[in-house]
Amino acid sequence: MTTIIAIASQKGGSGKTTLAVHLATRAAVAKHESCVIDTDPQATAATWSDWRGDFLPVVVTAPPARLNRTIESAKKNGVDFIVIDTPPHADAAAREAIKAADIVLVPTKPRAFDLAALEPIADLVNFAKTPAYVVLNAVPSGATVLAEEAKGTAKAMKLDICPVQLGDRAAFHRSSAKGETAAEIDPEGKAAKEIEALWKWLNKTVKKAKKKK
Ligand SMILES: Nc1ncnc2c1ncn2[C@@H]1O[C@H](COP(=O)(O)OP(=O)(O)OP(=O)(O)O)[C@@H](O)[C@H]1O
Ligand SMILES: [Mg+2]
């Protein structure tokens, strides 16, 4: 059975592509046939893959109108773990990805403007009834109050919160800029540990989501 994760948020720069490539790479390490479908016309995940060279995961680009066909052909090619990266400010693209997915991750920085931008995604996931989790990203160290406030705002929009949050860590942008991941440049670092915790949580949560389907 193929697992499909959609990464969506209307806000630019919230960490969608970073999350997509880190999770797809972690899945490849776990011996999944893993693939990123990049539906962003900016093709940032695909650029990351160009920098990466011939290493896994596979990254393919697809406009939102071709998403379903691309998923089907990935499955035919034996892909069993798909992460869909989506563009910011694009309702249609997010809607298609959310419809196709088993679970949606919504990365957001814990800041008022970013949190306000969760509303359209909250509407989309509530309508599609796909399980969705807000992932607080780039949380400054020691910002407990900020994170708690953000959780409150998300809850008010009926969005669930992922218990694992990602800190504001140089390893995320330093690695991505080289076509790598945080674990590849600093395996013992905090960023790598956070992705590991997120991966474990994701596996459990996807299992539960699939049982309910
Ligand atoms: N947790 C983090 N700590 C530090 N830097 C981060 C973190 N997450 C993302 N970044 C950096 O923030 C920038 C934006 O991240 P990214 O490209 O993943 O966001 P995005 O949501 O995909 O953006 P867009 O909406 O433009 O597609 C990148 O330079 C990335 O390396
Ligand atoms: Mg992106």
Side-chain angles (χ1 to χ4, degrees):
M1 262 253 275
T2 310
T3 296
I4 306 179
I5 317 282
I7 317 266
S9 84
Q10 298 302 77
K11 190 87 183 162
S14 61
K16 295 178 284 300
T17 303
T18 304
L19 200 55
V21 301
H22 277 79
L23 289 176
T25 304
R26 183 60 186 82
V29 171
K31 300 282 181 239
H32 281 288
E33 290 294 329
S34 138
C35 168
V36 177
I37 302 180
D38 184 357
T39 65
D40 185 351
Q42 295 179 97
T44 315
T47 305
W48 173 86
S49 175
D50 292 343
W51 292 336
R52 188 168 179 79
D54 286 334
F55 296 99
L56 295 170
V58 172
V59 179
V60 297
T61 55
R66 303 276 310 165
L67 179 62
N68 287 331
R69 274 175 186 278
T70 309
I71 290 173
E72 285 319 310
S73 80
K75 282 183 181 171
K76 273 189 200 137
N77 284 302
V79 169
D80 68 349
F81 193 94
I82 296 174
V83 185
I84 309 169
D85 190 14
T86 64
H89 321 297
D91 251 18
R95 188 180 308 118
E96 289 307 313
I98 288 167
K99 261 200 289 186
D102 297 304
I103 186 172
V104 186
L105 300 182
V106 186
T108 180
K109 292 181 183 163
R111 297 274 193 276
F113 288 152
D114 299 75
L115 294 163
L118 291 177
E119 193 88 58
I121 292 289
D123 291 345
L124 288 178
V125 296
N126 289 330
F127 182 75
K129 299 199 166 55
T130 312
Y133 295 85
V134 171
V135 181
L136 294 182
N137 184 35
V139 180
S141 62
T144 337
V145 177
L146 206 61
E148 285 311 311
E149 277 174 10
K151 286 180 192 169
T153 312
K155 269 212 181 111
M157 292 180 197
K158 297 202 182 90
L159 286 170
D160 286 320
I161 315 281
C162 168
V164 182
Q165 58 187 47
L166 307 178
D168 185 2
R169 313 217 179 273
F172 283 118
H173 61 82
R174 281 214 327 265
S175 60
S176 299
K178 299 196 288 182
E180 293 182 279
T181 64
E184 287 163 348
I185 66 162
D186 185 8
E188 299 304 321
K190 286 184 176 159
K193 293 208 166 105
E194 287 167 349
I195 292 296
E196 206 48 40
L198 184 63
W199 172 248
K200 291 216 170 93
W201 168 85
L202 183 66
N203 279 298
K204 269 195 267 168
T205 309
V206 165
K207 247 187 218 156
K208 268 192 237 158
K210 282 187 170 174
K211 255 190 205 159
K212 273 197 188 159
K213 247 188 178 179

Short mmCIF file of all heavy atoms in Angstrom, two decimals, residues 13-46:
data_model
loop_
_atom_site.label_atom_id
_atom_site.label_comp_id
_atom_site.label_asym_id
_atom_site.label_seq_id
_atom_site.Cartn_x
_atom_site.Cartn_y
_atom_site.Cartn_z
N GLY A 13 7.52 30.23 2.22
CA GLY A 13 8.68 30.10 3.11
C GLY A 13 8.38 29.49 4.47
O GLY A 13 9.15 29.66 5.41
N SER A 14 7.29 28.73 4.59
CA SER A 14 6.94 28.16 5.90
C SER A 14 7.70 26.85 6.18
O SER A 14 7.69 26.36 7.29
CB SER A 14 5.44 27.91 5.98
OG SER A 14 5.05 26.99 4.98
N GLY A 15 8.33 26.31 5.14
CA GLY A 15 9.12 25.09 5.34
C GLY A 15 8.58 23.87 4.61
O GLY A 15 8.99 22.74 4.90
N LYS A 16 7.68 24.07 3.66
CA LYS A 16 7.07 22.94 2.94
C LYS A 16 8.12 22.06 2.24
O LYS A 16 8.16 20.85 2.42
CB LYS A 16 6.07 23.46 1.87
CG LYS A 16 4.88 24.18 2.46
CD LYS A 16 3.96 24.71 1.37
CE LYS A 16 4.48 25.95 0.66
NZ LYS A 16 4.71 27.11 1.54
N THR A 17 8.95 22.72 1.43
CA THR A 17 9.92 21.95 0.65
C THR A 17 10.96 21.29 1.56
O THR A 17 11.34 20.13 1.35
CB THR A 17 10.59 22.87 -0.39
OG1 THR A 17 9.55 23.44 -1.20
CG2 THR A 17 11.55 22.12 -1.28
N THR A 18 11.38 22.01 2.58
CA THR A 18 12.34 21.45 3.54
C THR A 18 11.78 20.17 4.16
O THR A 18 12.45 19.13 4.23
CB THR A 18 12.64 22.49 4.65
OG1 THR A 18 13.11 23.68 4.03
CG2 THR A 18 13.67 21.99 5.64
N LEU A 19 10.54 20.25 4.60
CA LEU A 19 9.88 19.10 5.21
C LEU A 19 9.73 17.97 4.20
O LEU A 19 9.98 16.80 4.51
CB LEU A 19 8.50 19.57 5.71
CG LEU A 19 7.79 18.77 6.76
CD1 LEU A 19 8.67 18.58 7.98
CD2 LEU A 19 6.50 19.48 7.17
N ALA A 20 9.33 18.31 2.98
CA ALA A 20 9.10 17.29 1.94
C ALA A 20 10.38 16.51 1.66
O ALA A 20 10.37 15.27 1.66
CB ALA A 20 8.57 17.95 0.66
N VAL A 21 11.47 17.21 1.44
CA VAL A 21 12.70 16.49 1.06
C VAL A 21 13.28 15.72 2.26
O VAL A 21 13.84 14.63 2.09
CB VAL A 21 13.77 17.41 0.40
CG1 VAL A 21 13.20 18.07 -0.86
CG2 VAL A 21 14.33 18.43 1.35
N HIS A 22 13.12 16.26 3.45
CA HIS A 22 13.63 15.54 4.63
C HIS A 22 12.84 14.26 4.88
O HIS A 22 13.42 13.21 5.16
CB HIS A 22 13.64 16.44 5.87
CG HIS A 22 14.86 17.31 5.95
ND1 HIS A 22 15.00 18.47 5.22
CD2 HIS A 22 16.02 17.15 6.64
CE1 HIS A 22 16.18 19.00 5.47
NE2 HIS A 22 16.82 18.23 6.33
N LEU A 23 11.52 14.32 4.77
CA LEU A 23 10.71 13.12 5.03
C LEU A 23 10.91 12.08 3.92
O LEU A 23 11.01 10.89 4.20
CB LEU A 23 9.23 13.49 5.18
CG LEU A 23 8.90 14.23 6.48
CD1 LEU A 23 7.43 14.63 6.50
CD2 LEU A 23 9.23 13.39 7.71
N ALA A 24 10.96 12.54 2.68
CA ALA A 24 11.14 11.58 1.58
C ALA A 24 12.51 10.92 1.67
O ALA A 24 12.66 9.72 1.39
CB ALA A 24 10.96 12.28 0.24
N THR A 25 13.52 11.66 2.08
CA THR A 25 14.85 11.07 2.24
C THR A 25 14.85 10.07 3.39
O THR A 25 15.42 8.98 3.28
CB THR A 25 15.91 12.17 2.48
OG1 THR A 25 15.84 13.10 1.41
CG2 THR A 25 17.31 11.59 2.57
N ARG A 26 14.19 10.44 4.47
CA ARG A 26 14.13 9.50 5.63
C ARG A 26 13.40 8.22 5.24
O ARG A 26 13.78 7.13 5.66
CB ARG A 26 13.44 10.18 6.82
CG ARG A 26 13.38 9.32 8.08
CD ARG A 26 14.77 8.96 8.56
NE ARG A 26 14.75 8.02 9.68
CZ ARG A 26 14.61 6.71 9.58
NH1 ARG A 26 14.47 6.13 8.40
NH2 ARG A 26 14.63 5.95 10.67
N ALA A 27 12.38 8.37 4.42
CA ALA A 27 11.64 7.19 3.95
C ALA A 27 12.55 6.30 3.09
O ALA A 27 12.52 5.07 3.21
CB ALA A 27 10.41 7.61 3.16
N ALA A 28 13.38 6.93 2.26
CA ALA A 28 14.30 6.16 1.42
C ALA A 28 15.30 5.39 2.31
O ALA A 28 15.64 4.24 2.03
CB ALA A 28 15.03 7.07 0.45
N VAL A 29 15.75 6.04 3.38
CA VAL A 29 16.67 5.37 4.32
C VAL A 29 15.98 4.15 4.94
O VAL A 29 16.62 3.12 5.18
CB VAL A 29 17.13 6.36 5.43
CG1 VAL A 29 17.89 5.65 6.53
CG2 VAL A 29 18.00 7.46 4.82
N ALA A 30 14.67 4.26 5.16
CA ALA A 30 13.89 3.14 5.72
C ALA A 30 13.54 2.12 4.64
O ALA A 30 12.66 1.28 4.85
CB ALA A 30 12.63 3.67 6.39
N LYS A 31 14.19 2.23 3.49
CA LYS A 31 14.03 1.26 2.38
C LYS A 31 12.68 1.35 1.68
O LYS A 31 12.25 0.41 1.03
CB LYS A 31 14.27 -0.19 2.85
CG LYS A 31 15.66 -0.41 3.42
CD LYS A 31 16.68 -0.54 2.30
CE LYS A 31 18.07 -0.79 2.83
NZ LYS A 31 19.04 0.23 2.44
N HIS A 32 12.01 2.48 1.85
CA HIS A 32 10.82 2.69 1.03
C HIS A 32 11.26 3.09 -0.36
O HIS A 32 12.33 3.70 -0.54
CB HIS A 32 9.97 3.84 1.61
CG HIS A 32 9.15 3.45 2.77
ND1 HIS A 32 8.04 2.65 2.67
CD2 HIS A 32 9.26 3.76 4.09
CE1 HIS A 32 7.51 2.48 3.86
NE2 HIS A 32 8.23 3.14 4.75
N GLU A 33 10.43 2.77 -1.35
CA GLU A 33 10.60 3.35 -2.68
C GLU A 33 9.92 4.71 -2.58
O GLU A 33 8.71 4.83 -2.70
CB GLU A 33 9.92 2.48 -3.74
CG GLU A 33 10.60 1.16 -3.98
CD GLU A 33 12.00 1.31 -4.57
OE1 GLU A 33 12.23 2.28 -5.32
OE2 GLU A 33 12.86 0.47 -4.28
N SER A 34 10.72 5.75 -2.31
CA SER A 34 10.13 7.02 -1.93
C SER A 34 10.29 8.05 -3.05
O SER A 34 11.26 8.00 -3.82
CB SER A 34 10.81 7.45 -0.63
OG SER A 34 11.11 8.79 -0.63
N CYS A 35 9.33 8.94 -3.14
CA CYS A 35 9.33 9.90 -4.26
C CYS A 35 8.68 11.21 -3.80
O CYS A 35 7.70 11.19 -3.06
CB CYS A 35 8.52 9.27 -5.40
SG CYS A 35 8.09 10.38 -6.73
N VAL A 36 9.25 12.32 -4.22
CA VAL A 36 8.61 13.63 -4.00
C VAL A 36 7.93 14.01 -5.31
O VAL A 36 8.56 13.96 -6.37
CB VAL A 36 9.64 14.72 -3.65
CG1 VAL A 36 8.95 16.09 -3.50
CG2 VAL A 36 10.40 14.38 -2.38
N ILE A 37 6.65 14.38 -5.24
CA ILE A 37 6.00 14.97 -6.41
C ILE A 37 5.93 16.47 -6.15
O ILE A 37 5.27 16.93 -5.22
CB ILE A 37 4.61 14.39 -6.67
CG1 ILE A 37 4.70 12.86 -6.87
CG2 ILE A 37 3.97 15.05 -7.90
CD1 ILE A 37 3.37 12.17 -7.15
N ASP A 38 6.66 17.21 -6.95
CA ASP A 38 6.79 18.66 -6.77
C ASP A 38 5.76 19.35 -7.67
O ASP A 38 5.91 19.37 -8.88
CB ASP A 38 8.23 19.05 -7.15
CG ASP A 38 8.51 20.53 -6.89
OD1 ASP A 38 7.59 21.26 -6.48
OD2 ASP A 38 9.67 20.95 -7.11
N THR A 39 4.71 19.91 -7.07
CA THR A 39 3.66 20.58 -7.86
C THR A 39 3.84 22.10 -7.87
O THR A 39 2.97 22.83 -8.33
CB THR A 39 2.24 20.24 -7.34
OG1 THR A 39 2.09 20.77 -6.02
CG2 THR A 39 2.00 18.74 -7.31
N ASP A 40 4.97 22.55 -7.35
CA ASP A 40 5.25 24.00 -7.31
C ASP A 40 5.92 24.43 -8.62
O ASP A 40 6.96 23.87 -8.98
CB ASP A 40 6.19 24.28 -6.12
CG ASP A 40 6.43 25.77 -5.92
OD1 ASP A 40 6.03 26.58 -6.79
OD2 ASP A 40 7.04 26.12 -4.89
N PRO A 41 5.32 25.40 -9.35
CA PRO A 41 5.97 25.86 -10.59
C PRO A 41 7.39 26.39 -10.36
O PRO A 41 8.21 26.40 -11.28
CB PRO A 41 5.06 26.98 -11.10
CG PRO A 41 3.91 27.09 -10.17
CD PRO A 41 4.06 26.09 -9.07
N GLN A 42 7.69 26.79 -9.12
CA GLN A 42 9.08 27.21 -8.82
C GLN A 42 10.04 26.01 -8.79
O GLN A 42 11.25 26.19 -8.82
CB GLN A 42 9.16 27.87 -7.44
CG GLN A 42 8.41 29.17 -7.28
CD GLN A 42 8.56 29.68 -5.85
OE1 GLN A 42 9.40 30.52 -5.56
NE2 GLN A 42 7.74 29.16 -4.95
N ALA A 43 9.46 24.80 -8.66
CA ALA A 43 10.22 23.54 -8.70
C ALA A 43 11.42 23.53 -7.74
O ALA A 43 12.52 23.10 -8.09
CB ALA A 43 10.68 23.25 -10.14
N THR A 44 11.20 23.96 -6.53
CA THR A 44 12.30 24.03 -5.56
C THR A 44 12.79 22.65 -5.14
O THR A 44 14.00 22.43 -5.02
CB THR A 44 11.85 24.81 -4.30
OG1 THR A 44 11.15 25.98 -4.73
CG2 THR A 44 13.02 25.22 -3.46
N ALA A 45 11.86 21.72 -4.94
CA ALA A 45 12.27 20.36 -4.56
C ALA A 45 13.06 19.72 -5.71
O ALA A 45 14.05 19.02 -5.48
CB ALA A 45 11.05 19.51 -4.20
N ALA A 46 12.63 19.99 -6.93
CA ALA A 46 13.34 19.44 -8.10
C ALA A 46 14.74 20.04 -8.19
O ALA A 46 15.71 19.34 -8.54
CB ALA A 46 12.55 19.71 -9.37
#
